[in-house]
């Protein structure tokens, strides 16, 4: 495994997005725990969760409880594993997502997450999404209070603009360590946020990092865009999957990038973890760039 940093903490260059283990069509608990254990077996030391990663109404924190149980049952030292959780979103149980980022809600949510994870302080707590009904400075101010209180050790922000990153950085200083936005071969609207995160020394955690890489491309060139074909061709050159090439490509974008691909099976996260071993040549990187759709 190779490593990158979030704040002062070294973590695996590829993390695990645990959301698929708790939302719609989730696996049974045995498979979910096995997936989390397989991630750690593969050297993954960053697990991404949130209090809103659940399926039905009334089961907020399902994913956090699951991660905590997996760590407790692992049977080996897990002190080096960074669990990053998020607050500020909800799921009523009808498939929709809500946003609530008032200071009172965030402080209550962080404390509830801390208890579910069974830790003295949350290693990384991220504001899940800006709330249009709440001034951004007030939401970020709640993170400042959580840092000062020792409820969280580091703070992050998600689904944000460059302006929101700058304002959060001004309020949180070194307490701000990460930005988590959607970023993938198909969705690169957050290119400015990635550049700014790199300039400020913030980790950039792409969510949904495999967007644009069709599952069927594992068996042959396919998919709606030329990117699928290019990723498949270079995957064949490396004896890898297009998904692994996508992760390897993301790692070339900036030393700040730490993808967090989701997984619901042990084999999936084991495959993702092996992507750190792939070295893309400058020519291959150029071929992938040429095949990608223009960023927004």
């Amino acid at each position: 495994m190779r490593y990158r940093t979030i704040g002062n903490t070294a973590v695996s260059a590829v993390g695990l997005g645990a959301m698929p283990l708790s939302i719609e069509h989730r696996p049974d608990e045995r498979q979910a725990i096995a997936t989390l254990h397989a991630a750690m077996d593969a050297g993954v030391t960053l697990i991404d969760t949130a209090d809103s990663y659940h399926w039905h109404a009334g089961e907020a924190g399902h994913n956090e409880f699951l991660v905590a149980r997996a760590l407790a049952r692992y049977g080996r030292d897990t002190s080096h594993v960074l669990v990053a959780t998020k607050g500020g979103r909800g799921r009523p149980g009808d498939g929709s997502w809500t946003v609530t980022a008032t200071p009172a809600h965030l402080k209550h949510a962080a404390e509830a997450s801390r208890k579910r994870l069974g830790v003295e302080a949350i290693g990384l707590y991220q504001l899940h999404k800006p709330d249009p009904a709440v001034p951004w400075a007030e939401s970020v101010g709640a993170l400042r209070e959580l840092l000062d209180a020792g409820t969280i050790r580091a703070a992050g922000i998600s689904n944000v603009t460059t302006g929101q990153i700058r304002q959060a950085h001004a309020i949180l200083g070194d307490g701000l360590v990460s930005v988590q936005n959607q970023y993938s071969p198909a969705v690169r609207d957050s290119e400015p946020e990635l550049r700014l995160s790199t300039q400020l020394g913030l980790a950039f955690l792409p969510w949904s990092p495999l967007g644009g890489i069709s599952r069927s491309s594992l068996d042959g060139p396919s998919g709606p865009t030329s990117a699928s074909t290019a990723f498949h061709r270079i995957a064949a050159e490396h004896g890898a999957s297009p998904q692994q090439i996508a992760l390897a490509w993301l790692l070339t974008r900036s030393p700040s990038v730490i993808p967090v691909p989701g997984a619901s099976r042990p084999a999936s996260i084991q495959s993702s973890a092996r992507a750190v071993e792939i070295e893309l040549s400058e020519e291959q990187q150029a071929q992938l760039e040429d095949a990608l759709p223009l960023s927004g």
Side-chain angles (χ1 to χ4, degrees):
M1 179 54 68
R2 297 182 181 180
Y3 296 87
R4 295 191 169 184
T5 57
I6 299 180
N8 295 321
T9 302
V11 299
S12 54
V14 170
L16 169 65
M19 183 175 72
L21 302 175
S22 291
I23 63 167
E24 288 84 341
H25 313 298
R26 64 195 182 202
D28 61 32
E29 181 166 319
R30 181 178 178 181
Q31 181 174 321
I33 296 289
T35 301
L36 286 156
H37 286 176
M40 291 183 280
D41 288 344
V44 172
T45 62
L46 171 64
I47 299 174
D48 177 76
T49 182
D51 60 1
S52 57
Y53 290 169
H54 62 88
W55 185 351
H56 307 291
E59 57 175 21
H62 181 281
N63 201 241
E64 293 172 322
F65 278 128
L66 182 66
V67 169
R69 285 196 294 274
L71 289 169
R73 297 175 189 175
Y74 188 52
R76 280 176 265 171
D77 179 32
T78 60
S79 61
H80 59 296
V81 176
L82 176 63
V83 176
T85 193
K86 296 180 286 294
R89 302 207 73 179
R91 300 203 77 197
D94 59 0
S96 66
W97 296 75
T98 60
V99 181
T100 307
T102 63
H105 174 83
L106 290 173
K107 286 184 281 188
H108 174 78
E111 180 60 24
S113 290
R114 186 192 68 79
K115 290 179 179 178
R116 285 191 289 263
L117 292 171
V119 295
E120 292 184 6
I122 297 171
L124 173 57
Y125 190 71
Q126 301 183 104
L127 199 165
H128 207 153
K129 188 175 184 179
D131 185 340
V134 179
W136 179 238
E138 292 184 13
S139 296
V140 176
L143 298 181
R144 177 76 267 171
E145 291 185 46
L146 290 166
L147 285 165
D148 293 342
T151 306
I152 66 176
R153 292 197 173 96
I157 50 179
S158 182
N159 299 300
V160 288
T161 64
T162 55
Q164 289 166 333
I165 294 172
R166 292 187 185 281
Q167 190 173 6
H169 190 255
I171 294 170
L172 299 172
D174 292 341
L176 179 67
V177 299
S178 65
V179 171
Q180 186 167 13
N181 278 16
Q182 184 177 18
Y183 189 84
S184 70
V187 181
R188 293 182 295 148
D189 294 346
S190 283
E191 200 79 52
E193 288 74 26
L194 169 56
R195 288 195 296 269
L196 179 58
S197 297
T198 302
Q199 292 169 10
L200 295 176
L202 305 175
F204 187 87
L205 315 179
W207 61 264
S208 195
L210 297 178
I213 307 299
S214 113
R215 288 186 179 276
S216 61
S217 67
L218 287 166
D219 301 317
S222 62
T225 70
S226 60
S228 297
T229 301
F231 278 83
H232 179 273
R233 183 176 65 252
I234 292 175
E237 294 174 6
H238 283 272
S241 72
Q243 288 83 357
Q244 289 173 318
I245 296 301
L247 294 173
W249 172 79
L250 283 166
L251 292 171
T252 69
R253 304 303 294 159
S254 163
S256 294
V257 169
I258 305 171
V260 285
S264 57
R265 298 180 299 113
S268 297
I269 186 56
Q270 289 170 337
S271 177
S272 292
R274 289 194 297 271
V276 303
E277 303 167 5
I278 298 172
E279 295 283 353
L280 297 174
S281 68
E282 291 185 6
E283 181 181 357
Q284 289 172 332
Q285 292 179 48
Q287 290 173 11
L288 293 174
E289 287 294 317
D290 289 343
L292 291 169
L294 295 175
S295 58

